[in-house]
Amino acid sequence: MAEKRENTYLPAGHRDAPEAAGSTDAPAGSSRAEVTPPALGVRGMLRWAWTQLTSMRTALMLLLMLAVAAVPGSIFPQRVQDPFSVDAWIEDNPGVGEVLDFLQFFDVYSSVWFSAIYLLLFISLIGCILPRAKKHWQLMTSPPPRTPRRLERLPEFGALELQSTAAGDPEDGPKAQQALQDAAGILKARRYRVEVRDAAATDGAEASGSGDSAGSAGSVGAERGYLKESGNLVFHVALVGVLICVALGSMFSYRGQKILVEDEGFVNALVAYDSFHPGAYFSEDQLQPFSVQLDDFERVFDRESATNFGQPLDFTADVTTQLGPEGEPQSQELKVNQPLTLDDARVFLVGNGYAPEITVRDGAGDVAFSGPVVTRPDDPVYTSMAVIKAPDAQPEQLGFVGLLLPTAQDTGEGLSVSVDPELGNPQLQLNSYYGDLGLDEGNPQNVYVLDTEGLEVLNSRDEEAGGIVLSEGETYELPEGMGSISFDGVRDYIAIDVHYNPAQQGVLFFALTALTGLILSLFLRRRRAWVTVETTPAGRTLVRYGLLARGEDFRLRDENIALRAQFEKKWPVRAPEEDS
């Protein structure tokens, strides 16, 4: 009996399994043989890797990793945006800076690891979308699920007995069929996908659950909410579209910076930029032919608040733009966060300051430098760093470094500070040097930095001659007959960013599409409804219906109430207390 009991648990065709198992090399006393899994091989391993990569769990993990990988780009300065800030950060943090630079933390969005996550996410999303889209299409084209045998077991159930004539009336049959068609029409009006089934195709045709049915007229199967999964697929397809557009934009876009001094112009040419950052596949032919000239610049500061006095309120640049050599010049306003669009390129106002007009003469009296000098504001009152380089001076090259004070005020200790950002009492405070400035070697230099190592000091607070202090319109004679420097006036300047991204509109389109798909997937519910129509022994028409939601649906009860209201509006319903 023990053998029979053991054999009864074996599948058919495996009655000899115990004997076969006994022929294995299992250790004595063990109840079953050791199972050795088959080797996957290269093909099996690749298939397993593809399955793991294209799972939705992996796609979500890669999306999270991409978001985390983008964090260093907002913490550390990026070389594509400000290479001088990157160099300064590395100099200020020796050791750590070199390590981070080696790990590409200053080139995050073009780094190997960020690109790898980006490409893996792209492949994973496509691998997730294709099988899901195929399955979704099969579900949409297949009929609604079959009618359950007992509708009363569904989360939402209802029954209505319609007013009808006495049993045996010839109109009883057609009335049940008409109720079936009416129910299908009501469900269609409520955006259900409907299939009307005859009595033979209805599981509950012979067993309605009450036991007193005289005959079934058929049933209606209905389903809606496929847009939920459609929205989910649209979201993922749009996400792939965003990734593609971002990649195309990074390859074919460009970004450049230019400083415009008042009454000076800029032509969109490669040599005209102060700094330029092209995409990997950028071509100079992509540069749109336009020009921008700064006519005037206005700053508005807070003059009423006691706590925020002097804070900037508004910056407005009046510029003249022209599209191509044949275009008509146009006067336009450029403001912060209100860029100009010139032939698909966008021009942003990103900075401003003062440019003192300087004239430097050498020891022979010849003009070695003349023009505006762009300064760099360092505080809210526009105390600005000024660097002047005169490599053409003779017999020695001259260099100056110091401060521009828009509204200078003496502190009483022999020092002056700026007390207001507007030009009330402009003053230059400079130290002067002579020697080799290093410009003849052709090596690029930061225009805001003067390397004084190896230069001889002419003027400073530590020297007998003292520092140079110039008000507007004054001239200072340099010691040792090295020449002179004049402060002729002050002009405004602005810093502009020119952006061109041919895929920008595509990113916007796919982003809005993704948002639409996300809304559909979050707020729509997948629901199924079934209606059965029967003729009772008393000759009345009995309508039963049930509702089922896929997942949690707190509004399923509301759907039941609304559906019942539609039924009662369509048919004369017999009250429960009426006699049969």
Side-chain angles (χ1 to χ4, degrees):
M1 292 298 294
E3 269 187 33
K4 287 185 178 180
R5 189 178 300 112
E6 182 180 3
N7 288 338
T8 56
Y9 292 98
L10 295 174
H14 292 78
R15 294 299 184 185
D16 297 331
E19 290 78 8
S23 63
T24 61
D25 297 331
S30 63
S31 59
R32 63 177 65 183
E34 294 181 359
V35 178
T36 303
L40 287 178
V42 177
R43 185 175 179 180
M45 183 63 70
L46 291 176
R47 183 179 299 172
W48 176 83
W50 174 255
T51 302
Q52 297 302 314
L53 179 61
T54 56
S55 67
M56 185 57 65
R57 180 180 301 175
T58 302
L60 293 175
M61 184 180 300
L62 288 171
L63 189 61
L64 177 61
M65 290 176 62
L66 190 70
V68 173
V71 171
S74 61
I75 297 177
F76 302 101
Q78 297 299 295
R79 191 169 277 112
V80 68
Q81 297 174 342
D82 193 351
F84 297 114
S85 296
V86 173
D87 295 338
W89 201 97
I90 295 175
E91 290 178 3
D92 295 339
N93 300 272
V96 177
E98 285 79 1
V99 173
L100 293 179
D101 193 21
F102 176 78
L103 297 176
Q104 298 181 301
F105 272 65
F106 304 111
D107 302 278
V108 168
Y109 306 110
S110 59
S111 63
V112 175
W113 44 273
F114 189 87
S115 300
I117 298 173
Y118 192 93
L119 291 175
L120 287 175
L121 176 61
F122 182 79
I123 296 172
S124 180
L125 285 174
I126 293 179
C128 291
I129 291 171
L130 292 180
R132 289 184 63 182
K134 180 181 178 181
K135 184 177 181 181
H136 181 55
W137 174 256
Q138 292 173 349
L139 290 175
M140 289 185 64
T141 55
S142 62
R146 63 183 184 180
T147 306
R149 184 176 296 272
R150 297 184 179 274
L151 295 180
E152 64 272 12
R153 293 184 176 180
L154 297 180
E156 292 294 334
F157 167 75
L160 305 95
E161 192 174 46
L162 309 186
Q163 294 281 8
S164 62
T165 57
D169 194 301
E171 295 183 357
D172 286 345
K175 185 170 185 181
Q177 290 294 333
Q178 184 61 44
L180 195 67
Q181 297 299 326
D182 291 343
I186 292 173
L187 289 171
K188 284 182 180 180
R190 296 190 65 79
R191 302 186 301 278
Y192 281 87
R193 188 166 59 90
V194 174
E195 183 186 50
V196 179
R197 296 151 180 168
D198 56 19
T202 303
D203 290 345
E206 297 180 357
S208 62
S210 61
D212 57 355
S213 173
S216 171
S219 66
V220 177
E223 190 169 15
R224 83 175 196 184
Y226 282 102
L227 282 179
K228 178 181 179 65
E229 180 64 17
S230 299
N232 198 0
L233 289 173
V234 166
F235 170 76
H236 287 89
V237 171
L239 190 58
V240 173
V242 169
L243 294 177
I244 293 175
C245 288
V246 170
L248 292 175
S250 64
M251 290 190 293
F252 296 100
S253 63
Y254 69 82
R255 177 183 178 186
Q257 293 78 35
K258 177 64 179 178
I259 289 179
L260 290 180
V261 181
E262 192 175 358
D263 298 329
E264 288 187 355
F266 158 74
V267 178
N268 190 29
L270 201 57
V271 296
Y273 283 97
D274 296 327
S275 60
F276 191 79
H277 310 284
Y281 294 92
F282 166 79
S283 172
E284 194 171 351
D285 298 336
Q286 294 177 240
L287 293 173
Q288 298 85 348
F290 65 82
S291 62
V292 180
Q293 176 178 310
L294 178 61
D295 300 324
D296 188 36
F297 185 74
E298 181 183 2
R299 303 176 182 85
V300 178
F301 298 97
D302 189 350
R303 299 303 183 190
E304 298 180 358
S305 173
T307 56
N308 298 318
F309 185 85
Q311 293 293 320
L313 300 178
D314 188 33
F315 299 116
T316 303
D318 295 323
V319 298
T320 299
T321 61
Q322 183 175 349
L323 295 175
E326 305 298 332
E328 291 292 332
Q330 295 183 354
S331 297
Q332 294 181 283
E333 284 189 350
L334 178 62
K335 289 177 172 287
V336 178
N337 298 326
Q338 295 181 17
L340 299 178
T341 302
L342 303 175
D343 197 10
D344 294 334
R346 307 190 77 190
V347 181
F348 294 83
L349 175 63
V350 295
N352 67 87
Y354 295 113
E357 295 183 276
I358 305 296
T359 300
V360 177
R361 295 181 181 273
D362 60 15
D366 297 327
V367 176
F369 175 86
S370 180
V373 176
V374 175
T375 62
R376 185 183 64 193
D378 291 333
D379 59 23
V381 292
Y382 277 63
T383 302
S384 305
M385 174 67 68
V387 173
I388 306 163
K389 300 177 183 180
D392 297 330
Q394 296 296 331
E396 296 286 350
Q397 296 179 353
L398 298 175
F400 304 85
V401 60
L403 299 174
L404 169 68
L405 309 179
T407 303
Q409 181 174 329
D410 192 353
T411 60
E413 299 178 356
L415 295 175
S416 296
V417 296
S418 180
V419 295
D420 195 89
E422 289 190 349
L423 293 174
N425 179 30
Q427 185 182 93
L428 275 175
Q429 297 182 357
L430 302 172
N431 293 339
S432 64
Y433 303 85
Y434 72 91
D436 185 7
L437 300 181
L439 297 174
D440 296 334
E441 300 175 0
N443 295 326
Q445 291 188 7
N446 190 339
V447 295
Y448 299 110
V449 175
L450 177 64
D451 186 3
T452 60
E453 185 176 354
L455 299 180
E456 298 294 332
V457 181
L458 278 175
N459 292 94
S460 75
R461 294 178 59 85
D462 298 330
E463 298 295 322
E464 183 179 351
I468 300 173
V469 179
L470 288 174
S471 295
E472 191 173 1
E474 293 183 346
T475 300
Y476 180 86
E477 295 292 334
L478 298 175
E480 303 179 17
M482 288 292 182
S484 64
I485 180 171
S486 301
F487 181 16
D488 304 323
V490 182
R491 293 158 69 178
D492 293 309
Y493 77 84
I494 62 172
I496 62 173
D497 244 358
V498 181
H499 288 199
Y500 172 70
N501 189 340
Q504 189 172 13
Q505 294 182 350
V507 172
L508 176 62
F509 170 77
F510 283 113
L512 294 177
T513 303
L515 180 61
T516 303
L518 186 61
I519 292 174
L520 290 176
S521 64
L522 289 178
F523 292 98
L524 292 182
R525 293 291 181 267
R526 184 88 171 268
R527 293 171 181 168
R528 292 171 178 173
W530 295 274
V531 178
T532 61
V533 179
E534 307 163 4
T535 302
T536 65
R540 300 187 181 94
T541 300
L542 178 64
V543 177
R544 300 173 182 271
Y545 65 93
L547 295 170
L548 178 65
R550 185 173 182 178
E552 293 186 0
D553 187 357
F554 300 104
R555 293 176 294 176
L556 192 62
R557 179 62 180 172
D558 297 333
E559 179 69 11
N560 185 353
I561 296 173
L563 193 60
R564 187 180 186 90
Q566 292 285 330
F567 288 158
E568 292 179 347
K569 183 178 179 181
K570 186 69 176 178
W571 304 314
V573 179
R574 180 178 179 270
E577 63 274 7
E578 291 184 17
D579 295 331
S580 58

